[in-house]
Amino acid sequence: MRRAGPGTRTAATANMSNAAGMGGSDDAAGMTAASPAANSTHAAVREPLRTEFEFELPRGFVDESGTVHRQGAMRLATARDELIPLRDVRVRENPAYLSVVLLGRVITRLGTLGSVHDGTVENMFASDLAFLQDFYRQINAEGHTRAAVACPHCEESFEVELAGSRLGES
């Protein structure tokens, strides 16, 4: 069995590089790096990376003064965002609390609130918490807030936006 040396690209590293958009192309002689012009052309076709996504809560968060906050934004989670809550005592005692702490870290804006934290998420209606959990999974797994669906009657395929339409709207 031949081992790959430090400068050798294995099939696994080539696949990771290609998936990450790091360039490289296969030719008859083996793997070679793509020219800078090819990489810039490829990058021009790609959509820019979105790191923040706006949403609208189904019910809305009601603050102490009775103001309802529905419009908000959530950023993509980092590995740190997912690891730090695991040290939290509340999460250790009740693993279901993980989503509350995690959402408190990644929600960047909610209405006119000065800041959003786990205490804010903790006081949301259950339907809004469920919406945010689904929204978190969608943007962090897919990188967008669209879902492909099919009409149950005519079977026509189309996309719906999940980011903030209220119930009954699309």
Side-chain angles (χ1 to χ4, degrees), residues 25-84:
S25 64
D26 292 340
D27 65 9
M31 298 204 184
T32 59
S35 68
N39 282 339
S40 64
T41 304
H42 181 65
V45 175
R46 279 190 159 164
E47 291 182 24
L49 176 64
R50 286 183 59 194
T51 59
E52 190 169 86
F53 298 83
E54 294 190 354
F55 61 81
E56 183 176 344
L57 295 174
R59 297 206 187 272
F61 173 74
V62 182
D63 67 16
E64 303 83 31
S65 66
T67 304
V68 179
H69 304 273
R70 285 193 178 95
Q71 309 292 342
M74 183 184 296
R75 66 175 173 77
L76 292 176
T78 64
R80 183 178 183 90
D81 290 322
E82 294 196 347
L83 293 171
I84 295 238

Side-chain angles (χ1 to χ4, degrees), residues 47-136:
E47 291 182 24
L49 176 64
R50 286 183 59 194
T51 59
E52 190 169 86
F53 298 83
E54 294 190 354
F55 61 81
E56 183 176 344
L57 295 174
R59 297 206 187 272
F61 173 74
V62 182
D63 67 16
E64 303 83 31
S65 66
T67 304
V68 179
H69 304 273
R70 285 193 178 95
Q71 309 292 342
M74 183 184 296
R75 66 175 173 77
L76 292 176
T78 64
R80 183 178 183 90
D81 290 322
E82 294 196 347
L83 293 171
I84 295 238
L86 298 176
R87 293 189 228 152
D88 192 302
V89 174
R90 298 167 296 182
V91 173
R92 286 184 179 174
E93 291 175 1
N94 181 1
Y97 204 76
L98 174 63
S99 66
V100 171
V101 177
L102 184 55
L103 288 171
R105 292 181 61 85
V106 297
I107 297 172
T108 58
R109 180 176 40 83
L110 184 58
T112 58
L113 295 175
S115 66
V116 180
H117 48 81
D118 52 4
T120 309
V121 178
E122 193 174 48
N123 289 303
M124 289 183 172
F125 294 113
S127 58
D128 289 336
L129 178 60
F131 169 84
L132 289 170
Q133 289 169 330
D134 289 342
F135 190 72
Y136 175 91

